PDB file of all heavy atoms in Angstrom:
ATOM      1  N   GLN A 499     -56.175 -32.485 -15.144  1.00 98.00           N
ATOM      2  CA  GLN A 499     -57.134 -33.576 -15.350  1.00 98.00           C
ATOM      3  C   GLN A 499     -56.653 -34.609 -16.411  1.00 98.00           C
ATOM      4  O   GLN A 499     -56.693 -35.863 -16.265  1.00 98.00           O
ATOM      5  CB  GLN A 499     -58.543 -33.108 -15.751  1.00 98.00           C
ATOM      6  CG  GLN A 499     -59.220 -32.407 -14.580  1.00 98.00           C
ATOM      7  CD  GLN A 499     -60.488 -31.626 -15.048  1.00 98.00           C
ATOM      8  OE1 GLN A 499     -60.901 -31.674 -16.184  1.00 98.00           O
ATOM      9  NE2 GLN A 499     -60.999 -30.797 -14.204  1.00 98.00           N
ATOM     10  N   LYS A 500     -56.121 -34.084 -17.483  1.00 98.00           N
ATOM     11  CA  LYS A 500     -55.474 -34.923 -18.529  1.00 98.00           C
ATOM     12  C   LYS A 500     -54.298 -35.700 -17.997  1.00 98.00           C
ATOM     13  O   LYS A 500     -54.108 -36.922 -18.333  1.00 98.00           O
ATOM     14  CB  LYS A 500     -55.160 -34.068 -19.745  1.00 98.00           C
ATOM     15  CG  LYS A 500     -56.287 -33.592 -20.525  1.00 98.00           C
ATOM     16  CD  LYS A 500     -56.752 -34.694 -21.551  1.00 98.00           C
ATOM     17  CE  LYS A 500     -57.762 -34.102 -22.548  1.00 98.00           C
ATOM     18  NZ  LYS A 500     -58.105 -35.138 -23.562  1.00 98.00           N
ATOM     19  N   LEU A 501     -53.391 -35.004 -17.258  1.00 98.00           N
ATOM     20  CA  LEU A 501     -52.296 -35.747 -16.719  1.00 98.00           C
ATOM     21  C   LEU A 501     -52.754 -36.763 -15.778  1.00 98.00           C
ATOM     22  O   LEU A 501     -52.196 -37.940 -15.792  1.00 98.00           O
ATOM     23  CB  LEU A 501     -51.394 -34.725 -15.970  1.00 98.00           C
ATOM     24  CG  LEU A 501     -50.524 -33.766 -16.814  1.00 98.00           C
ATOM     25  CD1 LEU A 501     -49.798 -32.793 -15.870  1.00 98.00           C
ATOM     26  CD2 LEU A 501     -49.452 -34.538 -17.581  1.00 98.00           C
ATOM     27  N   GLN A 502     -53.685 -36.513 -14.964  1.00 97.00           N
ATOM     28  CA  GLN A 502     -54.229 -37.519 -13.974  1.00 97.00           C
ATOM     29  C   GLN A 502     -54.810 -38.714 -14.756  1.00 97.00           C
ATOM     30  O   GLN A 502     -54.646 -39.862 -14.407  1.00 97.00           O
ATOM     31  CB  GLN A 502     -55.312 -36.934 -13.166  1.00 97.00           C
ATOM     32  CG  GLN A 502     -55.820 -37.728 -11.977  1.00 97.00           C
ATOM     33  CD  GLN A 502     -54.768 -37.617 -10.869  1.00 97.00           C
ATOM     34  OE1 GLN A 502     -53.773 -38.401 -10.850  1.00 97.00           O
ATOM     35  NE2 GLN A 502     -55.042 -36.790  -9.817  1.00 97.00           N
ATOM     36  N   LYS A 503     -55.534 -38.448 -15.845  1.00 98.00           N
ATOM     37  CA  LYS A 503     -56.065 -39.553 -16.666  1.00 98.00           C
ATOM     38  C   LYS A 503     -55.038 -40.444 -17.299  1.00 98.00           C
ATOM     39  O   LYS A 503     -55.055 -41.713 -17.286  1.00 98.00           O
ATOM     40  CB  LYS A 503     -56.992 -38.924 -17.737  1.00 98.00           C
ATOM     41  CG  LYS A 503     -57.651 -39.962 -18.609  1.00 98.00           C
ATOM     42  CD  LYS A 503     -58.579 -39.358 -19.627  1.00 98.00           C
ATOM     43  CE  LYS A 503     -59.241 -40.313 -20.565  1.00 98.00           C
ATOM     44  NZ  LYS A 503     -60.112 -39.719 -21.589  1.00 98.00           N
ATOM     45  N   VAL A 504     -53.957 -39.782 -17.793  1.00 98.00           N
ATOM     46  CA  VAL A 504     -52.863 -40.567 -18.469  1.00 98.00           C
ATOM     47  C   VAL A 504     -52.186 -41.383 -17.414  1.00 98.00           C
ATOM     48  O   VAL A 504     -51.899 -42.616 -17.627  1.00 98.00           O
ATOM     49  CB  VAL A 504     -51.875 -39.573 -19.133  1.00 98.00           C
ATOM     50  CG1 VAL A 504     -50.625 -40.401 -19.582  1.00 98.00           C
ATOM     51  CG2 VAL A 504     -52.492 -39.032 -20.417  1.00 98.00           C
ATOM     52  N   ARG A 505     -51.913 -40.807 -16.238  1.00 97.00           N
ATOM     53  CA  ARG A 505     -51.179 -41.544 -15.201  1.00 97.00           C
ATOM     54  C   ARG A 505     -52.023 -42.695 -14.676  1.00 97.00           C
ATOM     55  O   ARG A 505     -51.584 -43.863 -14.479  1.00 97.00           O
ATOM     56  CB  ARG A 505     -50.827 -40.696 -13.987  1.00 97.00           C
ATOM     57  CG  ARG A 505     -49.979 -41.334 -12.959  1.00 97.00           C
ATOM     58  CD  ARG A 505     -49.506 -40.410 -11.899  1.00 97.00           C
ATOM     59  NE  ARG A 505     -50.557 -39.760 -11.167  1.00 97.00           N
ATOM     60  CZ  ARG A 505     -50.347 -38.961 -10.099  1.00 97.00           C
ATOM     61  NH1 ARG A 505     -49.121 -38.657  -9.790  1.00 97.00           N
ATOM     62  NH2 ARG A 505     -51.407 -38.359  -9.489  1.00 97.00           N
ATOM     63  N   ALA A 506     -53.314 -42.539 -14.534  1.00 97.00           N
ATOM     64  CA  ALA A 506     -54.255 -43.590 -14.030  1.00 97.00           C
ATOM     65  C   ALA A 506     -54.317 -44.705 -15.067  1.00 97.00           C
ATOM     66  O   ALA A 506     -54.417 -45.900 -14.739  1.00 97.00           O
ATOM     67  CB  ALA A 506     -55.668 -42.998 -13.791  1.00 97.00           C
ATOM     68  N   GLN A 507     -54.284 -44.379 -16.363  1.00 97.00           N
ATOM     69  CA  GLN A 507     -54.541 -45.380 -17.391  1.00 97.00           C
ATOM     70  C   GLN A 507     -53.226 -46.126 -17.808  1.00 97.00           C
ATOM     71  O   GLN A 507     -53.243 -47.332 -18.018  1.00 97.00           O
ATOM     72  CB  GLN A 507     -55.150 -44.710 -18.655  1.00 97.00           C
ATOM     73  CG  GLN A 507     -55.469 -45.722 -19.807  1.00 97.00           C
ATOM     74  CD  GLN A 507     -56.308 -45.076 -20.837  1.00 97.00           C
ATOM     75  OE1 GLN A 507     -56.701 -43.879 -20.798  1.00 97.00           O
ATOM     76  NE2 GLN A 507     -56.527 -45.857 -21.923  1.00 97.00           N
ATOM     77  N   TYR A 508     -52.166 -45.354 -17.855  1.00 98.00           N
ATOM     78  CA  TYR A 508     -50.881 -45.871 -18.311  1.00 98.00           C
ATOM     79  C   TYR A 508     -49.698 -46.006 -17.381  1.00 98.00           C
ATOM     80  O   TYR A 508     -48.692 -46.522 -17.570  1.00 98.00           O
ATOM     81  CB  TYR A 508     -50.462 -45.173 -19.566  1.00 98.00           C
ATOM     82  CG  TYR A 508     -51.405 -45.100 -20.733  1.00 98.00           C
ATOM     83  CD1 TYR A 508     -52.147 -44.037 -20.999  1.00 98.00           C
ATOM     84  CD2 TYR A 508     -51.507 -46.228 -21.595  1.00 98.00           C
ATOM     85  CE1 TYR A 508     -53.064 -43.990 -22.051  1.00 98.00           C
ATOM     86  CE2 TYR A 508     -52.476 -46.186 -22.641  1.00 98.00           C
ATOM     87  CZ  TYR A 508     -53.236 -45.144 -22.833  1.00 98.00           C
ATOM     88  OH  TYR A 508     -54.146 -45.067 -23.869  1.00 98.00           O
ATOM     89  N   GLY A 509     -49.895 -45.304 -16.191  1.00 97.00           N
ATOM     90  CA  GLY A 509     -48.880 -45.300 -15.168  1.00 97.00           C
ATOM     91  C   GLY A 509     -48.015 -43.995 -15.308  1.00 97.00           C
ATOM     92  O   GLY A 509     -48.023 -43.333 -16.349  1.00 97.00           O
ATOM     93  N   PRO A 510     -47.210 -43.672 -14.281  1.00 98.00           N
ATOM     94  CA  PRO A 510     -46.467 -42.441 -14.238  1.00 98.00           C
ATOM     95  C   PRO A 510     -45.404 -42.345 -15.337  1.00 98.00           C
ATOM     96  O   PRO A 510     -45.096 -41.255 -15.790  1.00 98.00           O
ATOM     97  CB  PRO A 510     -45.922 -42.455 -12.846  1.00 98.00           C
ATOM     98  CG  PRO A 510     -45.834 -43.791 -12.360  1.00 98.00           C
ATOM     99  CD  PRO A 510     -47.083 -44.455 -12.967  1.00 98.00           C
ATOM    100  N   ASP A 511     -44.875 -43.470 -15.798  1.00 98.00           N
ATOM    101  CA  ASP A 511     -43.770 -43.481 -16.766  1.00 98.00           C
ATOM    102  C   ASP A 511     -44.346 -43.220 -18.183  1.00 98.00           C
ATOM    103  O   ASP A 511     -43.512 -43.167 -19.109  1.00 98.00           O
ATOM    104  CB  ASP A 511     -42.979 -44.736 -16.716  1.00 98.00           C
ATOM    105  CG  ASP A 511     -42.028 -44.763 -15.518  1.00 98.00           C
ATOM    106  OD1 ASP A 511     -41.729 -43.701 -14.949  1.00 98.00           O
ATOM    107  OD2 ASP A 511     -41.685 -45.914 -15.109  1.00 98.00           O
ATOM    108  N   ALA A 512     -45.650 -42.999 -18.260  1.00 98.00           N
ATOM    109  CA  ALA A 512     -46.154 -42.625 -19.583  1.00 98.00           C
ATOM    110  C   ALA A 512     -46.158 -41.052 -19.752  1.00 98.00           C
ATOM    111  O   ALA A 512     -46.628 -40.597 -20.798  1.00 98.00           O
ATOM    112  CB  ALA A 512     -47.623 -43.141 -19.726  1.00 98.00           C
ATOM    113  N   ILE A 513     -45.651 -40.414 -18.671  1.00 98.00           N
ATOM    114  CA  ILE A 513     -45.616 -38.933 -18.742  1.00 98.00           C
ATOM    115  C   ILE A 513     -44.135 -38.495 -18.699  1.00 98.00           C
ATOM    116  O   ILE A 513     -43.325 -39.084 -17.998  1.00 98.00           O
ATOM    117  CB  ILE A 513     -46.320 -38.321 -17.493  1.00 98.00           C
ATOM    118  CG1 ILE A 513     -47.877 -38.684 -17.575  1.00 98.00           C
ATOM    119  CG2 ILE A 513     -46.187 -36.803 -17.444  1.00 98.00           C
ATOM    120  CD1 ILE A 513     -48.569 -38.400 -16.280  1.00 98.00           C
TER     121      ILE A 513
END
Side-chain angles (χ1 to χ4, degrees):
Q499 289 165 11
K500 286 279 193 177
L501 286 172
Q502 191 77 278
K503 181 179 179 181
V504 169
R505 185 171 63 175
Q507 186 172 354
Y508 301 104
D511 286 338
I513 298 171

